[in-house]
């Protein structure tokens, strides 16, 4: 199977967009945009992210922690920023609520403690126990068919 065929077909799975963050030994916060973050278990609260090699992955491996910030529809600039497509817009800011930095403004945030790691081809999976979380009002940023989309109608 050709890589481009797989990429095109898998893009039809709609996902939310998250920024995975962590603080390095010098106290600098780094983030990376992902759409590979999700819930694994409710008892105990467990999530997982898939990261490819880079600064964010190095920080997660060395600290054993990561933050996850779920982006709102109005945060496409933040998604682009942490995906490496920086423009002249204001850099998103982080806030350490308890122990791990997450975006100051986001739809939901999670502070996570890594349980294990698994290498799968060119990525590493990091299941983690959620140690703190919270949310705010807003509509999610959705990624579908390799493009950002408006959120679906709210339920209820």
């Amino acid at each position: 199977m050709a890589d481009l065929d797989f990429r095109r077909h898998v893009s039809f799975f709609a996902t939310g967009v998250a920024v995975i963050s962590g603080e390095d030994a010098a106290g600098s916060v780094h983030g990376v945009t992902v759409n590979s973050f999700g819930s694994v278990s409710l008892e105990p609260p467990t999530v997982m992210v898939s990261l490819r090699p880079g600064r964010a992955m190095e920080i997660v491996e060395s600290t054993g922690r990561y933050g996850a910030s779920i982006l709102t529809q109005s945060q496409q600039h933040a998604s682009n920023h942490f995906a490496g497509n920086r423009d002249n817009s204001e850099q998103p800011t982080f806030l350490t609520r308890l122990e791990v930095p997450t975006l100051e403004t986001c739809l939901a945030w999670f502070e996570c403690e890594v349980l294990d790691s698994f290498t799968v081809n060119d990525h590493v999976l990091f299941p983690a126990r959620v140690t703190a979380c919270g949310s705010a009002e807003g509509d999610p940023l959705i990624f579908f068919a390799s493009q950002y989309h408006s959120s679906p109608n709210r339920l209820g």
Side-chain angles (χ1 to χ4, degrees), residues 94-116:
F94 288 95
L95 173 67
T96 300
R97 291 168 172 88
L98 296 176
E99 295 185 28
V100 182
T102 53
L103 286 174
E104 183 175 23
T105 304
C106 57
L107 185 60
W109 57 270
F110 302 86
E111 292 189 9
C112 309
E113 186 176 280
V114 174
L115 298 170
D116 208 339

Side-chain angles (χ1 to χ4, degrees), residues 80-98:
N80 290 335
H81 178 86
F82 293 110
N85 303 323
R86 291 172 173 80
D87 57 20
N88 292 329
S89 64
E90 186 177 323
Q91 180 172 335
T93 57
F94 288 95
L95 173 67
T96 300
R97 291 168 172 88
L98 296 176

Side-chain angles (χ1 to χ4, degrees), residues 67-81:
S69 304
I70 309 301
L71 302 185
T72 67
Q73 224 175 340
S74 64
Q75 291 182 293
Q76 185 174 330
H77 70 284
S79 175
N80 290 335
H81 178 86

Side-chain angles (χ1 to χ4, degrees), residues 144-155:
F144 173 75
S146 301
Q147 296 179 24
Y148 296 109
H149 290 271
S150 299
S151 65
N153 294 331
R154 288 188 175 175
L155 298 177

